[in-house]
Each structure stands twice: as C-alpha cells, then as structure tokens.
Amino acid sequence: MSTTTQDRGRISRRRLPWPKLLILVLVGVPVLVPILYVVVSSFSDSFPGQALNWSWAPWERAFDSGRTVQSLLVSLVLTLRVPISMAVALCFAWFLVRVDVPGRKFVMYALWTAFFLPVLPMTFGWMLLINGNSGLLNQLLDRLPFVDGPIFNLQTIPGIMWVHITLTTIPIMTILLVPAMRAIDASYEEASDIAGARTSTTIRRITLPLLAPAVLVALLAGFIRSLETFEVEQILGTPAEIFVYSTRIFNLLRASPPDYAQAMALSTLLLVILVAVALLYQRVQSRYADNATLGGKGVRVRERPRTAKSWLAAIALYVAVAVCIVGPLAMLVAGSFTKLFGFFFLDQPWTLAHWTSVLTDSDFVGAVKNSAIVALTVGLVGTFVFALLGTVFARSRDRLTRWISLAAWLPWAVPGLLMGVAYLTVFLIVPGLASWLQTLLPLIIVLLVQSLPLGSMMMQSAVTQVSPELEEASYGTGAGWWRTYFRITLPLVAPMAVTVFVITFMSAIRDISSTVLLAAPGHSTLSLLMFEYANGSEPEAAAVVGVIIAIISLAMTAVVLRIGERLSVN
C-alpha cells in the first residue's frame, strides 16, 4: 500500500530527537522572564527594582492620555507602508529571479546595502537632501520661477513612511522573497504557460500561492516591526509633534519623573495584539505546512529570455536604486567631509578633520573590537539555534510546539528600549548576575532574543518548502535525525540560513535601542558610539562612523553572498 505525502509528513515529524519540554525551557527562560517583568510591572505603580505596589493607575493614565491614544492611531496609519512595500518587493523579486534582467547582481547588492546601512545617519542624509527649507534639492527647486517654498517635507506622516520604505521595508522584503522564489520549481509556472495562461494569471494563480508562507512572514514581520521603530520617528516626527507608540514610550521614560509603569502598560497592550497576530499566523501557516516546493527532483529555475521589457525593468530597478539609496548615501558621505554638517555652500566647506579625529580615538578602536565579537557571536549562535527551532516548528504540529512557537514571537512585542530596561533590572536583582554587566554577555543575550522571531520564522518557512519525502528517504537508509538534518535538510535551506546569518549579524551591528542601557563603559559597539556622537552634537563624527559601518557591512555582505550563491540550489 502506498504512503501518502501527509502520512510521510507525520512519520517525519515523529522523529524529533529532543524533549520538547527542554526546548520550551531553553526558549522560554530568556524570552519570558523579561516579558513577564514588563507585564507585572504594568500593574505596579513603582520604579524598577522597588517593591511592587499593585495598582490599575498605569493603565488608567495610559487610556486617559489623548497623546497616548493619538500615538497608537498614528502607529497604525504608518503600518500602511507594509502592504505598499510588499507589492513593490514582489515585483522586484519576480524580475530578479524569473527574468534575465541586466545587472541584477548589482541590484541585489544595492538592496543589501540599503538594508545594512545604519538608519540613523541615513535619515540625516535624507534630511540634507529633501527636508524642508534646509534640503539641498528643495533649495535648488526653490530657484525655479514657478516654485514657492519647499516641495518636500520629511517631517510629515508621508515623509516618515517614505524614509522607512526606501531604507528598510522594501529592501528587507525583497531579500526575504528572493530565496523563497528561487525555491519554487519553474515547471509549475511552465505548466501554466503551456495551458495558455497569461503571465499575470500565472503569478496570481501559481507563484503567489506557492510563495504564501514567505509572503506571510514578511507581511507580519513588517507589520510588527513597524510598530516598534524608533529612530526615524524620534528625529522626524517629534519636532512636528507626530508621536508614535515607541516615541511615546521613550518620552514616558525620559519624563521627570519617568513613568515606567505607563510605559510597561503600553508594551503589555502591544503584547496582547501580538499574541492575537501570532495565533492568526499559526492558523494560516498550518494551511501551508504541506506546501513543499523542494522535492527529490530538485528545483529548476527558469529565466525568461532578455527582451526589451527586460531592459525597461532593469532601468526601473536602476532608477529605484539611484533614488532610494545612492542619493541619501551620497549625502551621508559628503556630510562626513563637511566642516559643518549640511553646510555645503561655505567658502571652504570640506575637511578631513572629522575622519582623523574618529580614527585616532581609542573609543573607536574598542568599539570595532566589541562590534566584531558581539555580531559574530550573535550571528553564528543565532543561525544555529534558529535553524533548529525552524525545523521543529515546521515538522511538528502538537500543542507544545505551538506554545514554543508562540513564545518565540513574544520579543517582538517589547520595544528594544524596554527590553533593555527589563534585562538590566533582571541582571541587577538576580544574585550573581550583576558582575556580568561589565561584560558583553548582556548585549549578546538581548540581541539573540530580539532576533529570535524573525530568524526562527524565516527558517521555518524555508524548511516548510522542503518535502518530508527527502528526509524519509534518509531515514530509510538508517540515518538518524542529526545525520539527516546536517546532510539533507540543512544543505537544502542553506541559502536561507546564510540570509538569516547576515540579517542577524547586521542587526547586531546596527542595534541601538536594545543595547544602549546595557553597555557598560568601554563596551560600546560602533552603533552606540555613533549614537553618542549624534547625541553629543557631533553629527559629522556620527556620519564618519556611519560610513565605516556601511563599508564593513558591504565587505561582509560580499563574502557571505558569494558563499550563498555557491550554496544555492541549481
């Protein structure tokens, strides 16, 4: 009697080797402890580290404040950039994978560049270019006879959305979709073409349903991450009195006296929303659990021949790269060489003094060393752990696994700043942990926890695309779970693992909000040093560090993407 795919999937899922309760503990302890601290603290009107004073007052203050309600509504409005970016990213990914577009490697490197570039100085670059009266492009356009006043203004809701869409949302969504689209066998689309379907019909009826797990992950990740973004909203929104959820929490923590309890209540509210979203994701994801696109015959990637339309697509991609990346990056580089940041029309505006000052600063040398240790540790350990968790989530559907998967989502509910406060309090009040605050360990732990949701879900979506038949064939030859995992499963999802490593590595390099309160003196990373320069009214030095981070990231990206290309499925 033949065995159905569903039956073979169930057999494969029973071969998981670890006690799941142990996995739940290993995932739950570092995730749940700080989150429970946030939830409990939302019902206590006391300061961190003090005895609990149970009260509903933090919640009453949160909902009685018109500014708090307004910030939540503005945050929801700003999430509209997610579906907009997804539509653009799907077009980019399809052209880059399915069409022989000239220069597509350059476009992919440019997208990685956009994702890796530090958001804080790049926002300064956009401000120098098109923000209000000080924007260079606005000043040039103002000289035209029919122009009266600045054309562009970033200190608006559309302006904030534009910065996010160009710097982060479209690049990361395209980066997530490209490996998933490469894992779809072109024979499905060829069958549709042979049946006479138009290209748009094939994309709508064949490509998108097969791509649904990755699209779902990207949409939900973009939606949740958009709720907790901080730097751009703080720089552009606060001067225009546009407050969002994260900047409202930041203002509560900076108030005199700070209102920690209300900040915790707002985070708990987002936690409730996230749990609902996570349950919805699991429900939808279960529908695609058997939606494997990688089978024993491998995958054939078909490229449509180069035509005039390919060149038009290439031109559109080049224009997007030039407008969204080259412009603000050029302004950032130029700003690092100016005597006064943004003053390009002085008699002698250029200098190397800021570069000399930064490169000879002992704090800069220490920050480079700390960034390398933290980012490599988080990238390597995180990728290994996330790959294992993604396999467990994809191959097992019992109730305990769903609880583990739900726990892996929770770090998204807490903004990085509050996560840092929670971990700082835990390290201070738990006996024996305080001495570790003088090391890099707290930074590594909090960055691993922050990367857990995206890393584990990306690996889950990749493993879901691998047919369980391949693993069953390995088991049939007598191989155990670990041998099958390292010889069959991991090589097939290696391109996604490389992507996860790069994203985790760069997230550790770029992070500011999670680590700013945990870094002891002498343990700053490059991003924290850049933040210190920016806060210390040294934007030129901050731009220098931002350019250096971009150079390091590009070098790292070139090496890792080269490895990823070799590992890609032919």
Side-chain angles (χ1 to χ4, degrees):
M1 184 173 63
S2 63
T3 304
T4 66
T5 300
Q6 189 175 6
D7 293 335
R8 288 191 290 268
R10 281 198 288 265
I11 292 171
S12 177
R13 291 171 198 124
R14 288 201 301 265
R15 295 180 182 271
L16 298 175
W18 319 286
K20 291 181 184 174
L21 190 59
L22 175 62
I23 300 174
L24 180 60
V25 171
L26 292 177
V27 174
V29 169
V31 170
L32 294 180
V33 168
I35 288 177
L36 285 176
Y37 170 79
V38 170
V39 174
V40 171
S41 298
S42 71
F43 296 98
S44 172
D45 211 357
S46 59
F47 285 93
Q50 295 181 345
L52 295 175
N53 178 24
W54 299 107
S55 171
W56 287 100
W59 287 89
E60 293 173 353
R61 291 199 299 275
F63 286 102
D64 287 343
S65 171
R67 179 162 289 185
T68 298
V69 174
Q70 181 190 30
S71 66
L72 291 173
L73 292 176
V74 173
S75 297
L76 291 176
V77 171
L78 288 175
T79 61
L80 291 176
R81 69 177 184 265
V82 177
I84 296 173
S85 302
M86 174 56 72
V88 178
L90 280 170
C91 294
F92 280 14
W94 189 83
F95 279 116
L96 292 171
V97 175
R98 289 293 188 250
V99 182
D100 186 16
V101 174
R104 57 184 169 185
K105 283 188 177 181
F106 164 76
V107 175
M108 279 305 298
Y109 276 110
L111 292 172
W112 278 103
T113 303
F115 173 69
F116 288 160
L117 290 173
V119 174
L120 185 63
M122 285 295 288
T123 303
F124 287 140
W126 270 118
M127 293 175 69
L128 289 175
L129 191 60
I130 62 171
N131 188 46
N133 293 318
S134 60
L136 181 62
L137 185 57
N138 281 340
Q139 293 181 36
L140 296 176
L141 291 175
D142 196 38
R143 298 180 180 181
L144 299 175
F146 51 86
V147 175
D148 183 18
I151 300 296
F152 305 105
N153 185 10
L154 291 178
Q155 293 178 331
T156 60
I157 290 179
I160 295 172
M161 291 178 68
W162 172 258
V163 172
H164 277 299
I165 285 174
T166 55
L167 291 184
T168 56
T169 318
I170 288 179
I172 185 59
M173 283 188 170
T174 307
I175 290 169
L176 291 176
L177 292 177
V178 164
M181 192 167 287
R182 282 180 178 153
I184 298 176
D185 197 317
S187 60
Y188 298 111
E189 296 166 336
E190 287 177 350
S192 177
D193 293 340
I194 293 173
R198 301 174 63 180
T199 301
S200 58
T201 303
T202 300
I203 294 175
R204 181 166 52 86
R205 301 291 296 274
I206 303 296
T207 308
L208 287 181
L210 292 174
L211 205 60
V215 171
L216 185 63
V217 168
L219 277 175
L220 293 179
F223 173 77
I224 295 171
R225 298 295 291 181
S226 67
L227 291 177
E228 70 160 22
T229 53
F230 168 70
E231 292 96 335
V232 176
E233 283 79 359
Q234 179 67 19
I235 293 173
L236 298 178
T238 300
E241 297 191 347
I242 299 173
F243 297 99
V244 296
Y245 165 82
S246 58
T247 56
R248 177 62 178 154
I249 290 177
F250 181 71
N251 290 337
L252 290 171
L253 294 177
R254 291 189 62 185
S256 182
D259 194 343
Y260 289 101
Q262 188 181 166
M264 300 297 180
L266 287 176
S267 289
T268 304
L269 177 62
L270 182 62
L271 182 67
V272 173
I273 298 173
L274 175 74
V275 170
V277 173
L279 292 174
L280 175 63
Y281 168 79
Q282 288 185 343
R283 185 179 181 85
V284 177
Q285 178 74 9
S286 64
R287 298 175 56 186
Y288 298 102
D290 291 320
N291 203 18
T293 58
L294 272 174
K297 296 183 295 183
V299 167
R300 185 169 58 85
V301 179
R302 186 197 63 165
E303 293 178 354
R304 294 171 187 263
R306 186 174 298 178
T307 62
K309 292 182 179 178
S310 303
W311 284 101
L312 290 176
I315 292 172
L317 290 171
Y318 298 156
V319 170
V321 168
V323 172
C324 300
I325 302 171
V326 177
L329 179 59
M331 297 302 293
L332 172 65
V333 175
S336 70
F337 289 101
T338 54
K339 289 181 179 178
L340 289 175
F341 196 64
F343 288 80
F344 298 104
F345 299 109
L346 299 176
D347 289 337
Q348 294 180 343
W350 310 109
T351 180
L352 290 173
H354 306 301
W355 280 83
T356 304
S357 175
V358 169
L359 295 177
T360 56
D361 190 347
S362 59
D363 290 341
F364 171 75
V365 178
V368 171
K369 178 182 176 183
N370 293 334
S371 294
I373 295 173
V374 170
L376 283 174
T377 304
V378 172
L380 292 173
V381 175
T383 303
F384 180 74
V385 173
F386 302 155
L388 288 177
L389 288 175
T391 304
V392 174
F393 297 159
R395 294 296 187 239
S396 182
R397 301 177 189 173
D398 58 76
R399 182 170 298 177
L400 185 56
T401 303
R402 288 201 295 270
W403 280 107
I404 300 173
S405 176
L406 185 61
W409 275 70
L410 296 181
W412 263 343
V414 182
L417 203 64
L418 275 185
M419 184 67 82
V421 172
Y423 265 100
L424 180 62
T425 307
V426 169
F427 270 83
L428 287 174
I429 63 177
V430 175
L433 292 184
S435 60
W436 290 97
L437 285 173
Q438 301 301 317
T439 69
L440 296 174
L441 182 64
L443 279 66
I444 293 172
I445 292 176
V446 75
L447 289 171
L448 279 171
V449 172
Q450 287 286 79
S451 301
L452 174 62
L454 183 60
S456 59
M457 280 194 295
M458 287 174 65
M459 293 309 304
Q460 180 185 359
S461 67
V463 176
T464 302
Q465 289 185 297
V466 178
S467 172
E469 294 176 352
L470 302 176
E471 296 161 354
E472 290 305 320
S474 176
Y475 296 141
T477 63
W481 193 94
W482 286 106
R483 187 177 180 84
T484 300
Y485 178 75
F486 283 110
R487 300 295 296 273
I488 303 296
T489 309
L490 197 55
L492 289 173
V493 299
M496 182 63 84
V498 173
T499 303
V500 169
F501 170 79
V502 175
I503 291 176
T504 307
F505 178 90
M506 285 313 305
S507 297
I509 287 281
R510 301 190 326 165
D511 181 85
I512 294 176
S513 59
S514 301
T515 55
V516 66
L517 297 176
L518 287 171
H523 291 80
S524 292
T525 60
L526 281 172
S527 292
L528 293 178
L529 181 65
M530 179 178 63
F531 185 69
E532 292 171 6
Y533 282 140
N535 261 357
S537 301
E538 298 181 75
E540 303 88 357
V544 171
V545 179
V547 173
I548 292 172
I549 292 175
I551 294 173
I552 295 173
S553 305
L554 290 175
M556 183 69 187
T557 304
V559 173
V560 174
L561 289 183
R562 185 71 175 172
I563 297 173
E565 289 175 359
R566 293 184 177 182
L567 294 175
S568 295
V569 178
N570 296 317

